[in-house]
Amino acid sequence: MSVYLEKERAVAIEAVERASRVCEAVFKRLVTDETLTKKDKSPVTVADFSAQAVVNNILEKYFPNDPIVGEEDSKDLLGEEGRVLREKVVELTNTAVNTPMSTEEVLKAIDRGQYAGGSTGRHWTLDPIDGTKGFLRGEQFAVCLALIIDGKVRLGVVGCPNLPYDMSQPEGEKGVLAVAVEKQGAFQRKLNVKDFIETPIFVSIVEDSCNASFCESVEAGHANHGDSAKIAELLGITKQSVRMDSQCKYVAVARGDADIYLRLPVDSKYVEKIWDHAAGNIIIQEAGGQVSDVNGEPLDFSQGRTLSANKGVIAANANIFGTVVEAVKATLSNKF
């Protein structure tokens, strides 16, 4: 008897591993000290397009009828203006596929990510590089892929090429792939290593919020750190926050490296994209944690390409989750 989503799980792992290799190849070839000082984001653009082409190509091979909600489209790669970037994308894409892809095939694969999403049927959602500034710094970024069926996330895979396998040894082996399927638990394995051993991961067992720690964004623009400080005060938190970019934060909380992840709204108009949270959401839940928006409502992935029914994100272990939600509500005072 087959296991629920067994094939999808294996294919998603392969896709994220290959896309992670593309991102690492882009970093080695194109990112320099000058890239950072000039704030040149072109390597991220190459990696974004190449990773999306690789993942979408694999998904089309195994699940040709499944649409994809992706972040990128190919319009910036077209014509003479896009020639240099297009050539780089095609070259880097072909470092991670078994059969070389033509320019047309790469562009077509990228454009498979234009599905509108919704509440019925199956679709995948992909963030080819989550944490662009982390990527450029050689720090934390993630390749994130999730399968949504009838508006609910059923499978999530997050590849974190620069995340230590064991956070107690920050200079030790790096490269983590976290995976979760609905009602099957959450696991981690070494990324791009021929060691297919998976180990279960679980959120922390902290029972008092004063013993907890936050996992927060490095980038100030991704969170309201002032509100975070107020929430920390209400919760009695004094521990130093774990700071990193991307959905690696979800993985860190899912395996107990930190206890709470907050994505507080920076203004009333901002709406989260589904690809920024789908995979991390199910990994936290399957690791024994809980996830909601800032009002304590579950994240609703049935609304299309965005989380239009929600504001912000709260993730924590089940012991302290309710306390955290109340502290967030008290701090934001129904702003959102």
Side-chain angles (χ1 to χ4, degrees), residues 205-216:
I205 56 173
V206 167
E207 294 185 347
D208 192 324
S209 64
C210 67
N211 296 320
S213 61
F214 285 122
C215 194
E216 295 187 283

Side-chain angles (χ1 to χ4, degrees), residues 49 52 70-77 107 110-111 113-114:
F49 282 126
Q52 182 154 318
E71 189 173 14
E72 309 299 337
D73 62 58
S74 69
K75 66 178 184 295
D76 290 338
L77 302 178
L107 297 179
I110 291 168
D111 284 335
Q114 298 310 296

